[in-house]
Each structure stands twice: as structure tokens, then as C-alpha cells.
Short mmCIF file of all heavy atoms in Angstrom, two decimals:
data_model
loop_
_atom_site.label_atom_id
_atom_site.label_comp_id
_atom_site.label_asym_id
_atom_site.label_seq_id
_atom_site.Cartn_x
_atom_site.Cartn_y
_atom_site.Cartn_z
N MET A 88 16.22 -42.00 -32.00
CA MET A 88 15.48 -42.34 -33.22
C MET A 88 13.98 -42.13 -32.99
O MET A 88 13.31 -41.47 -33.76
CB MET A 88 15.76 -43.79 -33.59
CG MET A 88 15.41 -44.13 -35.05
SD MET A 88 16.45 -43.34 -36.28
CE MET A 88 15.75 -44.08 -37.76
N SER A 89 13.45 -42.69 -31.90
CA SER A 89 12.03 -42.54 -31.61
C SER A 89 11.70 -41.11 -31.17
O SER A 89 10.59 -40.65 -31.37
CB SER A 89 11.59 -43.53 -30.54
OG SER A 89 12.28 -43.29 -29.34
N ASP A 90 12.67 -40.42 -30.58
CA ASP A 90 12.46 -39.03 -30.17
C ASP A 90 12.21 -38.13 -31.38
O ASP A 90 11.47 -37.16 -31.29
CB ASP A 90 13.68 -38.52 -29.39
CG ASP A 90 13.70 -39.06 -27.96
OD1 ASP A 90 12.71 -39.68 -27.56
OD2 ASP A 90 14.70 -38.85 -27.27
N ARG A 91 12.83 -38.44 -32.49
CA ARG A 91 12.68 -37.65 -33.72
C ARG A 91 11.22 -37.64 -34.18
O ARG A 91 10.75 -36.67 -34.75
CB ARG A 91 13.57 -38.22 -34.83
CG ARG A 91 15.00 -37.76 -34.74
CD ARG A 91 15.22 -36.44 -35.49
NE ARG A 91 16.54 -35.87 -35.23
CZ ARG A 91 16.85 -34.61 -35.52
NH1 ARG A 91 15.94 -33.83 -36.05
NH2 ARG A 91 18.04 -34.14 -35.27
N MET A 92 10.52 -38.75 -33.97
CA MET A 92 9.13 -38.87 -34.43
C MET A 92 8.19 -37.99 -33.61
O MET A 92 7.16 -37.58 -34.09
CB MET A 92 8.67 -40.33 -34.35
CG MET A 92 9.37 -41.23 -35.37
SD MET A 92 8.83 -42.94 -35.22
CE MET A 92 7.19 -42.84 -35.93
N PHE A 93 8.55 -37.72 -32.37
CA PHE A 93 7.68 -36.95 -31.48
C PHE A 93 8.24 -35.56 -31.18
O PHE A 93 7.78 -34.89 -30.29
CB PHE A 93 7.44 -37.73 -30.18
CG PHE A 93 6.82 -39.07 -30.41
CD1 PHE A 93 7.57 -40.23 -30.30
CD2 PHE A 93 5.48 -39.18 -30.77
CE1 PHE A 93 7.01 -41.47 -30.53
CE2 PHE A 93 4.92 -40.43 -31.00
CZ PHE A 93 5.67 -41.57 -30.88
N ALA A 94 9.24 -35.16 -31.93
CA ALA A 94 9.85 -33.86 -31.72
C ALA A 94 10.00 -33.12 -33.04
O ALA A 94 10.08 -33.73 -34.09
CB ALA A 94 11.21 -34.01 -31.05
N GLN A 95 10.01 -31.82 -32.95
CA GLN A 95 10.26 -30.99 -34.12
C GLN A 95 11.28 -29.92 -33.75
O GLN A 95 11.31 -29.45 -32.62
CB GLN A 95 8.96 -30.37 -34.64
CG GLN A 95 8.21 -29.53 -33.61
CD GLN A 95 6.86 -29.08 -34.13
OE1 GLN A 95 6.62 -29.02 -35.31
NE2 GLN A 95 5.95 -28.73 -33.20
N THR A 96 12.10 -29.58 -34.73
CA THR A 96 13.14 -28.59 -34.49
C THR A 96 12.63 -27.21 -34.88
O THR A 96 12.06 -27.04 -35.95
CB THR A 96 14.40 -28.94 -35.31
OG1 THR A 96 14.76 -30.28 -35.03
CG2 THR A 96 15.57 -28.05 -34.92
N CYS A 97 12.81 -26.27 -33.99
CA CYS A 97 12.37 -24.89 -34.25
C CYS A 97 13.21 -24.29 -35.36
O CYS A 97 14.44 -24.28 -35.27
CB CYS A 97 12.50 -24.07 -32.96
SG CYS A 97 12.12 -22.33 -33.19
N PRO A 98 12.60 -23.77 -36.44
CA PRO A 98 13.37 -23.16 -37.52
C PRO A 98 13.97 -21.81 -37.13
O PRO A 98 14.85 -21.29 -37.81
CB PRO A 98 12.36 -23.01 -38.65
CG PRO A 98 11.04 -23.00 -37.99
CD PRO A 98 11.17 -23.77 -36.70
N ASN A 99 13.47 -21.24 -36.04
CA ASN A 99 13.94 -19.92 -35.61
C ASN A 99 15.18 -20.01 -34.72
O ASN A 99 16.17 -19.34 -34.96
CB ASN A 99 12.81 -19.19 -34.90
CG ASN A 99 13.10 -17.72 -34.69
OD1 ASN A 99 13.65 -17.07 -35.57
ND2 ASN A 99 12.76 -17.20 -33.54
N CYS A 100 15.10 -20.85 -33.68
CA CYS A 100 16.21 -20.92 -32.73
C CYS A 100 16.89 -22.29 -32.69
O CYS A 100 17.91 -22.45 -32.05
CB CYS A 100 15.72 -20.54 -31.33
SG CYS A 100 14.64 -21.78 -30.57
N GLY A 101 16.31 -23.29 -33.38
CA GLY A 101 16.92 -24.61 -33.43
C GLY A 101 16.61 -25.47 -32.22
O GLY A 101 17.16 -26.56 -32.10
N GLY A 102 15.74 -25.00 -31.34
CA GLY A 102 15.38 -25.77 -30.15
C GLY A 102 14.47 -26.93 -30.49
O GLY A 102 13.68 -26.87 -31.43
N ILE A 103 14.59 -28.02 -29.74
CA ILE A 103 13.75 -29.21 -29.98
C ILE A 103 12.51 -29.11 -29.10
O ILE A 103 12.60 -28.98 -27.88
CB ILE A 103 14.56 -30.50 -29.71
CG1 ILE A 103 15.67 -30.63 -30.76
CG2 ILE A 103 13.65 -31.72 -29.75
CD1 ILE A 103 16.79 -31.55 -30.34
N CYS A 104 11.34 -29.15 -29.75
CA CYS A 104 10.06 -28.99 -29.08
C CYS A 104 9.20 -30.22 -29.33
O CYS A 104 9.41 -30.93 -30.31
CB CYS A 104 9.34 -27.75 -29.61
SG CYS A 104 10.29 -26.25 -29.40
N PRO A 105 8.18 -30.48 -28.49
CA PRO A 105 7.25 -31.59 -28.76
C PRO A 105 6.52 -31.40 -30.08
O PRO A 105 6.23 -30.27 -30.48
CB PRO A 105 6.27 -31.52 -27.58
CG PRO A 105 6.97 -30.74 -26.52
CD PRO A 105 7.87 -29.79 -27.24
N GLN A 106 6.20 -32.52 -30.75
CA GLN A 106 5.53 -32.48 -32.06
C GLN A 106 4.18 -31.79 -31.97
O GLN A 106 3.76 -31.09 -32.89
CB GLN A 106 5.35 -33.91 -32.58
CG GLN A 106 4.84 -33.99 -34.02
CD GLN A 106 5.82 -33.46 -35.04
OE1 GLN A 106 6.94 -33.90 -35.12
NE2 GLN A 106 5.40 -32.49 -35.83
N GLN A 107 3.47 -31.97 -30.85
CA GLN A 107 2.14 -31.38 -30.71
C GLN A 107 2.15 -29.91 -30.32
O GLN A 107 1.11 -29.27 -30.26
CB GLN A 107 1.28 -32.19 -29.73
CG GLN A 107 1.77 -32.16 -28.30
CD GLN A 107 2.74 -33.31 -27.97
OE1 GLN A 107 3.41 -33.83 -28.87
NE2 GLN A 107 2.81 -33.69 -26.72
N ALA A 108 3.35 -29.37 -30.02
CA ALA A 108 3.44 -27.96 -29.63
C ALA A 108 3.16 -27.07 -30.83
O ALA A 108 3.66 -27.32 -31.94
CB ALA A 108 4.82 -27.66 -29.08
N GLU A 109 2.34 -26.05 -30.62
CA GLU A 109 2.03 -25.12 -31.70
C GLU A 109 3.04 -23.98 -31.77
O GLU A 109 3.22 -23.36 -32.80
CB GLU A 109 0.62 -24.55 -31.51
CG GLU A 109 -0.44 -25.59 -31.82
CD GLU A 109 -1.85 -25.05 -31.70
OE1 GLU A 109 -2.04 -23.83 -31.83
OE2 GLU A 109 -2.75 -25.85 -31.46
N THR A 110 3.66 -23.69 -30.63
CA THR A 110 4.70 -22.66 -30.60
C THR A 110 5.94 -23.21 -29.93
O THR A 110 5.87 -24.12 -29.10
CB THR A 110 4.21 -21.41 -29.83
OG1 THR A 110 3.77 -21.80 -28.53
CG2 THR A 110 3.07 -20.71 -30.55
N CYS A 111 7.10 -22.66 -30.27
CA CYS A 111 8.37 -23.05 -29.67
C CYS A 111 8.38 -22.68 -28.19
O CYS A 111 7.98 -21.58 -27.82
CB CYS A 111 9.51 -22.35 -30.40
SG CYS A 111 11.13 -22.67 -29.69
N LYS A 112 8.83 -23.62 -27.34
CA LYS A 112 8.84 -23.34 -25.90
C LYS A 112 10.01 -22.46 -25.50
O LYS A 112 10.05 -21.97 -24.38
CB LYS A 112 8.83 -24.65 -25.11
CG LYS A 112 10.05 -25.54 -25.32
CD LYS A 112 9.92 -26.80 -24.47
CE LYS A 112 11.07 -27.75 -24.74
NZ LYS A 112 10.96 -28.99 -23.95
N TYR A 113 10.97 -22.26 -26.44
CA TYR A 113 12.13 -21.42 -26.13
C TYR A 113 11.93 -19.98 -26.59
O TYR A 113 12.21 -19.05 -25.86
CB TYR A 113 13.38 -22.01 -26.78
CG TYR A 113 13.66 -23.44 -26.34
CD1 TYR A 113 13.40 -24.51 -27.20
CD2 TYR A 113 14.15 -23.70 -25.06
CE1 TYR A 113 13.63 -25.81 -26.79
CE2 TYR A 113 14.39 -25.00 -24.66
CZ TYR A 113 14.12 -26.06 -25.52
OH TYR A 113 14.34 -27.34 -25.12
N CYS A 114 11.45 -19.80 -27.82
CA CYS A 114 11.36 -18.45 -28.39
C CYS A 114 9.93 -18.09 -28.80
O CYS A 114 9.72 -17.03 -29.38
CB CYS A 114 12.31 -18.31 -29.57
SG CYS A 114 11.85 -19.29 -31.00
N LYS A 115 8.96 -18.96 -28.53
CA LYS A 115 7.54 -18.73 -28.86
C LYS A 115 7.31 -18.59 -30.36
O LYS A 115 6.34 -17.97 -30.78
CB LYS A 115 6.98 -17.48 -28.13
CG LYS A 115 7.15 -17.52 -26.63
CD LYS A 115 6.30 -18.60 -26.00
CE LYS A 115 6.52 -18.65 -24.48
NZ LYS A 115 5.93 -19.84 -23.88
N PHE A 116 8.19 -19.19 -31.15
CA PHE A 116 8.02 -19.17 -32.61
C PHE A 116 6.85 -20.06 -32.98
O PHE A 116 6.72 -21.18 -32.49
CB PHE A 116 9.31 -19.64 -33.29
CG PHE A 116 9.24 -19.66 -34.79
CD1 PHE A 116 9.47 -18.51 -35.52
CD2 PHE A 116 8.94 -20.83 -35.48
CE1 PHE A 116 9.41 -18.52 -36.90
CE2 PHE A 116 8.87 -20.86 -36.86
CZ PHE A 116 9.11 -19.70 -37.57
N SER A 117 5.96 -19.60 -33.84
CA SER A 117 4.78 -20.37 -34.24
C SER A 117 5.15 -21.32 -35.38
O SER A 117 5.65 -20.88 -36.41
CB SER A 117 3.67 -19.42 -34.68
OG SER A 117 2.52 -20.15 -35.02
N PHE A 118 4.90 -22.61 -35.19
CA PHE A 118 5.19 -23.60 -36.22
C PHE A 118 4.08 -23.58 -37.27
O PHE A 118 2.96 -24.02 -37.03
CB PHE A 118 5.29 -25.00 -35.62
CG PHE A 118 6.43 -25.15 -34.65
CD1 PHE A 118 6.19 -25.40 -33.32
CD2 PHE A 118 7.74 -25.03 -35.08
CE1 PHE A 118 7.24 -25.54 -32.42
CE2 PHE A 118 8.80 -25.16 -34.20
CZ PHE A 118 8.55 -25.42 -32.86
N ALA A 119 4.39 -23.04 -38.43
CA ALA A 119 3.40 -22.92 -39.51
C ALA A 119 3.72 -23.90 -40.62
O ALA A 119 3.84 -23.55 -41.78
CB ALA A 119 3.37 -21.50 -40.04
N GLY A 120 3.89 -25.16 -40.26
CA GLY A 120 4.22 -26.18 -41.24
C GLY A 120 2.99 -26.73 -41.92
O GLY A 120 1.87 -26.45 -41.50
N PRO A 121 3.14 -27.52 -42.99
CA PRO A 121 1.98 -28.14 -43.65
C PRO A 121 1.36 -29.21 -42.77
O PRO A 121 2.04 -29.81 -41.95
CB PRO A 121 2.58 -28.73 -44.92
CG PRO A 121 4.02 -28.97 -44.61
CD PRO A 121 4.41 -27.92 -43.60
N GLY A 122 0.05 -29.45 -42.96
CA GLY A 122 -0.63 -30.48 -42.18
C GLY A 122 -1.69 -29.88 -41.28
O GLY A 122 -2.43 -29.01 -41.69
N ARG A 123 -1.72 -30.34 -40.04
CA ARG A 123 -2.80 -29.94 -39.12
C ARG A 123 -2.73 -28.46 -38.76
O ARG A 123 -3.74 -27.86 -38.46
CB ARG A 123 -2.78 -30.81 -37.87
CG ARG A 123 -1.54 -30.69 -37.03
CD ARG A 123 -1.34 -31.94 -36.15
NE ARG A 123 0.02 -32.01 -35.64
CZ ARG A 123 0.40 -31.47 -34.50
NH1 ARG A 123 -0.44 -30.80 -33.77
NH2 ARG A 123 1.64 -31.58 -34.09
N PHE A 124 -1.54 -27.85 -38.82
CA PHE A 124 -1.42 -26.44 -38.44
C PHE A 124 -2.09 -25.55 -39.49
O PHE A 124 -2.74 -24.59 -39.14
CB PHE A 124 0.04 -26.06 -38.25
CG PHE A 124 0.67 -26.76 -37.08
CD1 PHE A 124 1.74 -27.61 -37.26
CD2 PHE A 124 0.16 -26.57 -35.80
CE1 PHE A 124 2.30 -28.26 -36.17
CE2 PHE A 124 0.72 -27.23 -34.71
CZ PHE A 124 1.80 -28.07 -34.90
N SER A 125 -1.92 -25.90 -40.77
CA SER A 125 -2.58 -25.12 -41.83
C SER A 125 -4.09 -25.34 -41.78
O SER A 125 -4.85 -24.42 -42.06
CB SER A 125 -2.02 -25.50 -43.20
OG SER A 125 -2.30 -26.86 -43.47
N LEU A 126 -4.51 -26.54 -41.39
CA LEU A 126 -5.94 -26.83 -41.26
C LEU A 126 -6.55 -25.99 -40.13
O LEU A 126 -7.62 -25.43 -40.29
CB LEU A 126 -6.12 -28.32 -40.95
CG LEU A 126 -7.56 -28.86 -41.05
CD1 LEU A 126 -7.99 -28.98 -42.50
CD2 LEU A 126 -7.67 -30.21 -40.38
N ASN A 127 -5.83 -25.88 -39.04
CA ASN A 127 -6.28 -25.05 -37.92
C ASN A 127 -6.34 -23.58 -38.31
O ASN A 127 -7.17 -22.83 -37.79
CB ASN A 127 -5.35 -25.22 -36.72
CG ASN A 127 -5.58 -26.55 -36.00
OD1 ASN A 127 -6.61 -27.18 -36.19
ND2 ASN A 127 -4.63 -26.95 -35.19
N ALA A 128 -5.48 -23.16 -39.20
CA ALA A 128 -5.45 -21.76 -39.63
C ALA A 128 -6.63 -21.45 -40.55
O ALA A 128 -7.09 -20.32 -40.61
CB ALA A 128 -4.14 -21.46 -40.34
N ILE A 129 -7.12 -22.47 -41.29
CA ILE A 129 -8.23 -22.25 -42.23
C ILE A 129 -9.57 -22.15 -41.49
O ILE A 129 -10.40 -21.34 -41.83
CB ILE A 129 -8.25 -23.38 -43.29
CG1 ILE A 129 -7.07 -23.22 -44.25
CG2 ILE A 129 -9.57 -23.38 -44.08
CD1 ILE A 129 -6.76 -24.47 -45.05
N VAL A 130 -9.75 -22.98 -40.46
CA VAL A 130 -11.04 -23.06 -39.75
C VAL A 130 -11.50 -21.71 -39.17
O VAL A 130 -12.64 -21.33 -39.41
CB VAL A 130 -11.00 -24.17 -38.69
CG1 VAL A 130 -12.23 -24.11 -37.78
CG2 VAL A 130 -10.92 -25.54 -39.35
N PRO A 131 -10.66 -20.96 -38.46
CA PRO A 131 -11.12 -19.66 -37.95
C PRO A 131 -11.49 -18.69 -39.07
O PRO A 131 -12.40 -17.89 -38.92
CB PRO A 131 -9.92 -19.12 -37.17
CG PRO A 131 -9.10 -20.32 -36.87
CD PRO A 131 -9.30 -21.24 -38.03
N ARG A 132 -10.78 -18.76 -40.21
CA ARG A 132 -11.10 -17.89 -41.34
C ARG A 132 -12.49 -18.20 -41.89
O ARG A 132 -13.24 -17.31 -42.22
CB ARG A 132 -10.05 -18.08 -42.46
CG ARG A 132 -8.87 -17.13 -42.31
CD ARG A 132 -7.91 -17.30 -43.47
NE ARG A 132 -6.54 -17.46 -43.00
CZ ARG A 132 -5.60 -18.09 -43.67
NH1 ARG A 132 -5.86 -18.64 -44.82
NH2 ARG A 132 -4.38 -18.18 -43.19
N ARG A 133 -12.81 -19.49 -41.99
CA ARG A 133 -14.14 -19.89 -42.46
C ARG A 133 -15.22 -19.42 -41.49
O ARG A 133 -16.27 -19.00 -41.90
CB ARG A 133 -14.20 -21.41 -42.62
CG ARG A 133 -13.63 -21.88 -43.94
CD ARG A 133 -13.88 -23.36 -44.13
NE ARG A 133 -13.24 -23.83 -45.35
CZ ARG A 133 -13.03 -25.11 -45.62
NH1 ARG A 133 -13.38 -26.03 -44.75
NH2 ARG A 133 -12.47 -25.48 -46.74
N ARG A 134 -14.92 -19.52 -40.21
CA ARG A 134 -15.87 -19.07 -39.19
C ARG A 134 -16.11 -17.57 -39.29
O ARG A 134 -17.24 -17.12 -39.22
CB ARG A 134 -15.33 -19.41 -37.79
CG ARG A 134 -15.76 -20.78 -37.31
CD ARG A 134 -15.37 -20.97 -35.88
NE ARG A 134 -15.38 -22.38 -35.53
CZ ARG A 134 -14.68 -22.90 -34.53
NH1 ARG A 134 -13.90 -22.14 -33.80
NH2 ARG A 134 -14.74 -24.17 -34.27
N SER A 135 -15.04 -16.81 -39.46
CA SER A 135 -15.18 -15.36 -39.55
C SER A 135 -15.90 -14.96 -40.83
O SER A 135 -16.68 -14.02 -40.84
CB SER A 135 -13.81 -14.68 -39.48
OG SER A 135 -13.02 -15.06 -40.57
N LEU A 136 -15.69 -15.72 -41.91
CA LEU A 136 -16.38 -15.45 -43.17
C LEU A 136 -17.88 -15.71 -43.03
O LEU A 136 -18.69 -14.91 -43.47
CB LEU A 136 -15.79 -16.34 -44.27
CG LEU A 136 -16.32 -16.08 -45.69
CD1 LEU A 136 -15.79 -14.77 -46.23
CD2 LEU A 136 -15.93 -17.20 -46.63
N LYS A 137 -18.22 -16.82 -42.37
CA LYS A 137 -19.62 -17.15 -42.11
C LYS A 137 -20.28 -16.07 -41.25
O LYS A 137 -21.39 -15.63 -41.51
CB LYS A 137 -19.69 -18.52 -41.42
CG LYS A 137 -21.05 -19.17 -41.50
CD LYS A 137 -20.98 -20.58 -40.89
CE LYS A 137 -22.34 -21.24 -40.92
NZ LYS A 137 -22.30 -22.58 -40.32
N PHE A 138 -19.55 -15.65 -40.21
CA PHE A 138 -20.05 -14.59 -39.32
C PHE A 138 -20.26 -13.29 -40.09
O PHE A 138 -21.27 -12.60 -39.90
CB PHE A 138 -19.05 -14.38 -38.18
CG PHE A 138 -19.48 -13.33 -37.20
CD1 PHE A 138 -20.44 -13.62 -36.24
CD2 PHE A 138 -18.94 -12.05 -37.24
CE1 PHE A 138 -20.83 -12.65 -35.34
CE2 PHE A 138 -19.33 -11.08 -36.35
CZ PHE A 138 -20.28 -11.38 -35.39
N ALA A 139 -19.34 -12.97 -40.99
CA ALA A 139 -19.45 -11.76 -41.80
C ALA A 139 -20.66 -11.82 -42.72
O ALA A 139 -21.38 -10.84 -42.88
CB ALA A 139 -18.17 -11.57 -42.61
N LEU A 140 -20.92 -13.00 -43.31
CA LEU A 140 -22.08 -13.17 -44.19
C LEU A 140 -23.39 -13.04 -43.41
O LEU A 140 -24.34 -12.40 -43.90
CB LEU A 140 -22.02 -14.54 -44.88
CG LEU A 140 -21.02 -14.65 -46.02
CD1 LEU A 140 -20.87 -16.10 -46.46
CD2 LEU A 140 -21.44 -13.81 -47.22
N ILE A 141 -23.45 -13.61 -42.21
CA ILE A 141 -24.65 -13.50 -41.36
C ILE A 141 -24.87 -12.04 -40.96
O ILE A 141 -25.98 -11.52 -41.04
CB ILE A 141 -24.52 -14.42 -40.12
CG1 ILE A 141 -24.59 -15.90 -40.55
CG2 ILE A 141 -25.61 -14.11 -39.09
CD1 ILE A 141 -24.08 -16.88 -39.49
N ALA A 142 -23.80 -11.35 -40.58
CA ALA A 142 -23.89 -9.94 -40.19
C ALA A 142 -24.37 -9.09 -41.37
O ALA A 142 -25.20 -8.20 -41.21
CB ALA A 142 -22.52 -9.45 -39.70
N LEU A 143 -23.86 -9.41 -42.57
CA LEU A 143 -24.26 -8.69 -43.78
C LEU A 143 -25.74 -8.93 -44.09
O LEU A 143 -26.47 -7.99 -44.43
CB LEU A 143 -23.40 -9.17 -44.96
CG LEU A 143 -23.47 -8.31 -46.23
CD1 LEU A 143 -22.77 -6.97 -46.02
CD2 LEU A 143 -22.83 -9.05 -47.40
N ALA A 144 -26.21 -10.16 -43.92
CA ALA A 144 -27.62 -10.50 -44.15
C ALA A 144 -28.52 -9.76 -43.17
O ALA A 144 -29.55 -9.21 -43.56
CB ALA A 144 -27.80 -12.01 -44.02
N ILE A 145 -28.14 -9.72 -41.90
CA ILE A 145 -28.92 -8.99 -40.88
C ILE A 145 -28.95 -7.50 -41.22
O ILE A 145 -30.01 -6.85 -41.15
CB ILE A 145 -28.32 -9.25 -39.46
CG1 ILE A 145 -28.57 -10.72 -39.05
CG2 ILE A 145 -28.92 -8.29 -38.43
CD1 ILE A 145 -27.71 -11.17 -37.88
N LEU A 146 -27.82 -6.96 -41.63
CA LEU A 146 -27.72 -5.55 -42.00
C LEU A 146 -28.64 -5.23 -43.18
O LEU A 146 -29.35 -4.21 -43.18
CB LEU A 146 -26.27 -5.21 -42.35
CG LEU A 146 -25.94 -3.72 -42.45
CD1 LEU A 146 -25.90 -3.08 -41.07
CD2 LEU A 146 -24.60 -3.52 -43.13
N MET A 147 -28.67 -6.12 -44.18
CA MET A 147 -29.55 -5.95 -45.35
C MET A 147 -31.02 -5.92 -44.94
O MET A 147 -31.79 -5.10 -45.42
CB MET A 147 -29.29 -7.09 -46.35
CG MET A 147 -27.98 -6.99 -47.07
SD MET A 147 -27.94 -5.76 -48.39
CE MET A 147 -28.75 -6.66 -49.69
N ILE A 148 -31.40 -6.86 -44.04
CA ILE A 148 -32.79 -6.93 -43.56
C ILE A 148 -33.15 -5.65 -42.82
O ILE A 148 -34.23 -5.08 -43.03
CB ILE A 148 -32.99 -8.21 -42.69
CG1 ILE A 148 -32.90 -9.47 -43.56
CG2 ILE A 148 -34.32 -8.15 -41.94
CD1 ILE A 148 -32.62 -10.74 -42.78
N VAL A 149 -32.26 -5.19 -41.96
CA VAL A 149 -32.49 -3.96 -41.18
C VAL A 149 -32.65 -2.77 -42.13
O VAL A 149 -33.58 -1.96 -41.98
CB VAL A 149 -31.35 -3.74 -40.16
CG1 VAL A 149 -31.40 -2.33 -39.56
CG2 VAL A 149 -31.41 -4.79 -39.05
N VAL A 150 -31.80 -2.67 -43.14
CA VAL A 150 -31.87 -1.57 -44.11
C VAL A 150 -33.19 -1.61 -44.86
O VAL A 150 -33.86 -0.59 -45.04
CB VAL A 150 -30.65 -1.63 -45.07
CG1 VAL A 150 -30.86 -0.73 -46.29
CG2 VAL A 150 -29.39 -1.22 -44.34
N LEU A 151 -33.62 -2.81 -45.29
CA LEU A 151 -34.90 -2.96 -46.00
C LEU A 151 -36.07 -2.56 -45.11
O LEU A 151 -37.01 -1.90 -45.56
CB LEU A 151 -35.06 -4.40 -46.50
CG LEU A 151 -34.20 -4.77 -47.71
CD1 LEU A 151 -34.23 -6.27 -47.94
CD2 LEU A 151 -34.67 -4.05 -48.97
N LEU A 152 -36.03 -2.97 -43.84
CA LEU A 152 -37.09 -2.61 -42.89
C LEU A 152 -37.14 -1.10 -42.69
O LEU A 152 -38.23 -0.50 -42.69
CB LEU A 152 -36.85 -3.31 -41.55
CG LEU A 152 -37.27 -4.78 -41.47
CD1 LEU A 152 -36.76 -5.41 -40.19
CD2 LEU A 152 -38.78 -4.93 -41.56
N VAL A 153 -35.99 -0.46 -42.55
CA VAL A 153 -35.92 1.00 -42.35
C VAL A 153 -36.48 1.71 -43.57
O VAL A 153 -37.25 2.66 -43.45
CB VAL A 153 -34.47 1.43 -42.05
CG1 VAL A 153 -34.30 2.95 -42.17
CG2 VAL A 153 -34.06 0.96 -40.65
N ILE A 154 -36.14 1.24 -44.77
CA ILE A 154 -36.66 1.83 -46.01
C ILE A 154 -38.19 1.70 -46.06
O ILE A 154 -38.89 2.66 -46.40
CB ILE A 154 -35.97 1.19 -47.25
CG1 ILE A 154 -34.52 1.66 -47.34
CG2 ILE A 154 -36.73 1.53 -48.54
CD1 ILE A 154 -33.65 0.83 -48.27
N ASN A 155 -38.71 0.54 -45.72
CA ASN A 155 -40.16 0.31 -45.70
C ASN A 155 -40.86 1.21 -44.69
O ASN A 155 -41.92 1.75 -44.97
CB ASN A 155 -40.46 -1.16 -45.40
CG ASN A 155 -40.25 -2.04 -46.62
OD1 ASN A 155 -40.29 -1.58 -47.75
ND2 ASN A 155 -40.00 -3.31 -46.38
N ILE A 156 -40.25 1.38 -43.51
CA ILE A 156 -40.83 2.24 -42.47
C ILE A 156 -40.84 3.70 -42.94
O ILE A 156 -41.83 4.42 -42.77
CB ILE A 156 -40.07 2.06 -41.13
CG1 ILE A 156 -40.38 0.68 -40.53
CG2 ILE A 156 -40.42 3.17 -40.13
CD1 ILE A 156 -39.36 0.20 -39.51
N LEU A 157 -39.77 4.15 -43.55
CA LEU A 157 -39.66 5.53 -44.01
C LEU A 157 -40.64 5.81 -45.16
O LEU A 157 -41.17 6.91 -45.28
CB LEU A 157 -38.23 5.83 -44.47
CG LEU A 157 -37.19 5.95 -43.34
CD1 LEU A 157 -35.79 6.05 -43.91
CD2 LEU A 157 -37.47 7.15 -42.44
N ARG A 158 -40.90 4.83 -46.01
CA ARG A 158 -41.80 5.01 -47.15
C ARG A 158 -43.27 5.04 -46.73
O ARG A 158 -44.07 5.72 -47.36
CB ARG A 158 -41.59 3.87 -48.17
CG ARG A 158 -40.40 4.15 -49.09
CD ARG A 158 -40.28 3.06 -50.13
NE ARG A 158 -39.15 3.30 -51.01
CZ ARG A 158 -38.76 2.45 -51.96
NH1 ARG A 158 -39.40 1.31 -52.12
NH2 ARG A 158 -37.75 2.73 -52.74
N SER A 159 -43.61 4.29 -45.69
CA SER A 159 -45.01 4.18 -45.29
C SER A 159 -45.50 5.42 -44.54
O SER A 159 -44.71 6.17 -44.01
CB SER A 159 -45.22 2.92 -44.45
OG SER A 159 -44.46 3.00 -43.27
ZN1 LIG B 193 12.44 -21.51 -31.10
#
């Protein structure tokens, strides 16, 4: 009964894995259930989006500087 609270069943192979495991220890299946796993999946996307916006801003500044240098 208490084991059920700290274990999850792999939907791929049916193996019982620890609740905190992100992947199945038998078949390496990734547990993509609702809750903390979906939250972890969102955070890297936000980071990459922020990085893309910063890179785009730097690129815009560089392009503007190059245009100013070429015009002068
Ligand atoms: Zn499995």
C-alpha cells in the first residue's frame, strides 16, 4: 500500500519504478505525466526562447552598427 505512493508503473513495459525517476529503469521510457515533469519540460523551452530573443537583439544591434558604418 505504501509502496504504491512512492512507485509508478511504466506505461511502456509495466515495470515498477521509483516515483522520482524521470525514466524507466528497465526500458528507459520517459515518464511524461502531468505535474512536475511537464513543469520541467516548460522551463528549458522558456530558457531557449529567452536566449533566442537576446541573440536576436544582439543581431539587430550588429546589423544597425554595420549599416551606420557603411553609410558614414
Ligand atoms: Zn519501462
Side-chain angles (χ1 to χ4, degrees):
M88 198 68 177
S89 62
D90 283 352
R91 278 272 171 195
M92 291 179 74
F93 301 105
Q95 57 187 338
T96 307
C97 175
N99 192 40
C100 71
I103 293 160
C104 302
Q106 188 66 56
Q107 66 269 26
E109 287 182 24
T110 54
C111 176
K112 63 180 176 181
Y113 303 105
C114 67
K115 305 293 178 192
F116 180 83
S117 182
F118 296 116
R123 63 203 163 90
F124 294 118
S125 63
L126 192 74
N127 284 343
I129 288 163
V130 170
R132 270 184 230 154
R133 277 187 184 164
R134 270 188 198 156
S135 63
L136 186 72
K137 199 175 178 181
F138 181 78
L140 284 170
I141 291 163
L143 193 71
I145 291 164
L146 193 73
M147 288 283 280
I148 291 161
V149 167
V150 166
L151 285 169
L152 281 170
V153 166
I154 288 164
N155 282 337
I156 289 160
L157 288 172
R158 277 184 181 175
S159 62

